Amino acid sequence: MKKSDFAILLLPPLSNVLRCLTICFTLLSLLAAPIARAGFDEGVIAYKKENFPEALREFRPLADKGDVLAQHFLGIMYLSGEGVLPNYTEAVKWFRLAAEQGYASAQYILGQMYGKGQGVLQDYQEAMKWYRLAAEQGQVDAQFNLGFMYFQGQGVLQDYQETVKWFRKAAEQGNASAQEFLGAMYSEGKGMPQDYSEAVKWHRLAAEQGRANAQLNLGFMYSQGQGVSQDYQEAVKWFRKAAEQGNESAQGNLGSMYYQGQGVPQDYQEAVKWYRKAAEQGQVPAQVSLGLMYGKGEGVVQDDVRAHMWINIAAAKGDSRAQKARDAMAKWMTPTKIAKAQKLARDCEKNNYKKCG
């Protein structure tokens, strides 16, 4: 079984989720405001109803007068193209005005726009600057992205200890991504001594929030007895949760559990099912395993041609086990069968591994 690669990604592009967060943060800010401003409440109501032209008419005069929340809303609307054509330059303008007044959400988004080069030249140092200002105010997504920048060494020298510091702050606020990656840092011993028990703790918190990679890693740790007592049934449980979300590594590992009868009754047909799902996503170990099962007739009708096809595909990606198996199979297969298998492999790759058999 193979553990997932440790990789950290930037948060996804801003979308409708950002609209929801904007409304929530704004309403929280309003609770602290002793006096409602004329026009602003009407703008929020119009925005929530997706009456964007009306929202713009209410927010713009307030934003021109320096109202930080109205400025933030205008930034969102120009960024998302709500009531106006998308305009990153205008979005940056309004986010900057709100950010310079200390509004954490605007600082965070401005950091993202510098990091992605949206409306401004891409500038990791500027991204770091704005992420840090927001993170120091407790903005959880900024804390996560700041940790990411330290991990990658973008705009700053690579520093795993700073990575862990900021991931922990975000993780302790319940950010599932930060919990997952903090677990990976503990598992790999990056930025702190390796500690499987702590890795299990953070992976579990993220897994319980539905993070597929955390579910995969938690399943792996149960299968290996890392930080927990070895428990194949628990491993299967978490592999299945991740596999059902389409995680190819979890699908391959679940196939292995069925093949070996670990945590579940041995079932070659179920093994083939999960290996196939992973193989169709390009997972090399699953392609090898599926090919070997075709070769042995385990869970499928024995088929040297399909076996050679899958193993050849994996071998082309540099898998040494597959290369040896392919060369061994060629010794007893006829030239006609080999030619057919090679054609199927070419067709399979063209179809992105779908419906290959």
Side-chain angles (χ1 to χ4, degrees):
M1 289 179 290
K2 180 179 181 293
K3 188 180 178 183
S4 64
D5 295 332
F6 174 36
I8 297 179
L9 302 176
L10 278 170
L11 292 178
L14 300 169
S15 63
N16 288 337
V17 173
L18 185 55
R19 292 188 62 249
C20 297
L21 291 174
T22 298
I23 294 171
C24 291
F25 283 128
T26 302
L27 293 178
L28 287 172
S29 300
L30 286 173
L31 292 175
I35 302 174
R37 285 145 299 170
F40 185 79
D41 291 346
E42 290 83 354
V44 172
I45 292 169
Y47 185 87
K48 289 173 70 175
K49 292 180 177 178
E50 299 189 7
N51 184 351
F52 299 130
E54 179 63 23
L56 279 169
R57 283 193 292 271
E58 298 292 349
F59 288 144
R60 191 177 295 278
L62 294 172
D64 287 335
K65 294 177 182 178
D67 186 291
V68 66
L69 295 178
Q71 290 169 344
H72 184 65
F73 262 112
L74 281 184
I76 296 293
M77 297 179 80
Y78 276 108
L79 179 62
S80 304
E82 296 171 331
V84 291
L85 293 174
N87 188 324
Y88 289 154
T89 302
E90 276 294 300
V92 166
K93 166 189 166 182
W94 291 109
F95 284 135
R96 190 185 305 280
L97 288 170
E100 288 174 346
Q101 294 195 63
Y103 193 60
S105 293
Q107 292 168 341
Y108 159 64
I109 298 171
L110 187 57
Q112 276 204 317
M113 298 191 77
Y114 270 109
K116 296 175 181 178
Q118 293 177 327
V120 288
L121 291 174
Q122 189 177 53
D123 188 328
Y124 291 143
Q125 290 185 339
E126 278 294 300
M128 284 284 295
K129 166 188 167 182
W130 292 108
Y131 283 149
R132 189 182 304 280
L133 288 169
E136 288 173 348
Q137 294 192 66
Q139 214 283 348
V140 64
D141 295 324
Q143 291 172 340
F144 175 75
N145 274 16
L146 186 58
F148 167 80
M149 301 287 279
Y150 274 111
F151 181 83
Q152 293 289 85
Q154 291 179 330
V156 69
L157 291 176
Q158 188 178 59
D159 189 329
Y160 291 147
Q161 290 183 333
E162 281 293 304
T163 298
V164 168
K165 167 186 169 182
W166 290 106
F167 280 169
R168 189 184 307 281
K169 288 179 181 292
E172 288 175 347
Q173 291 198 64
N175 183 284
S177 297
Q179 291 168 345
E180 175 189 328
F181 299 133
L182 185 58
M185 299 290 281
Y186 270 111
S187 183
E188 299 289 337
K190 293 181 183 291
M192 82 284 280
Q194 189 177 58
D195 188 330
Y196 288 139
S197 295
E198 278 293 302
V200 166
K201 166 188 168 182
W202 292 108
H203 280 316
R204 189 185 307 280
L205 288 170
E208 289 172 348
Q209 294 197 62
R211 292 286 299 190
N213 278 333
Q215 292 167 345
L216 165 66
N217 285 339
L218 187 58
F220 180 85
M221 298 187 82
Y222 270 111
S223 73
Q224 301 299 303
Q226 294 179 339
V228 289
S229 297
Q230 190 175 55
D231 188 330
Y232 291 140
Q233 289 184 334
E234 278 293 302
V236 166
K237 166 187 167 181
W238 291 108
F239 284 150
R240 191 184 305 280
K241 287 180 180 291
E244 289 174 347
Q245 292 195 63
N247 184 288
E248 67 272 17
S249 294
Q251 290 168 344
N253 281 347
L254 186 56
S256 294
M257 301 298 279
Y258 273 109
Y259 185 84
Q260 298 173 57
Q262 293 178 327
V264 288
Q266 189 176 56
D267 188 329
Y268 289 151
Q269 289 183 337
E270 278 294 301
V272 166
K273 166 187 167 181
W274 290 107
Y275 281 146
R276 191 185 307 282
K277 287 179 181 292
E280 289 178 347
Q281 294 196 66
Q283 220 247 1
V284 172
Q287 291 172 341
V288 176
S289 296
L290 184 58
L292 292 174
M293 293 190 77
Y294 268 111
K296 298 175 184 178
E298 294 174 332
V300 289
V301 175
Q302 198 279 336
D303 188 334
D304 286 341
V305 172
R306 297 288 177 187
H308 190 285
M309 179 199 75
W310 281 115
I311 290 172
N312 191 23
I313 289 169
K317 297 175 183 175
D319 187 277
S320 59
R321 185 172 66 133
Q323 290 167 351
K324 292 176 182 178
R326 179 193 59 193
D327 294 344
M329 290 185 68
K331 293 178 181 179
W332 71 74
M333 290 177 66
T334 65
T336 300
K337 281 190 172 182
I338 292 173
K340 183 178 180 181
Q342 290 173 345
K343 181 182 185 304
L344 286 175
R346 291 193 298 271
D347 293 342
C348 184
E349 284 199 328
K350 287 179 183 177
N351 292 327
N352 199 25
Y353 310 119
K354 300 298 188 291
K355 298 180 180 179
C356 299

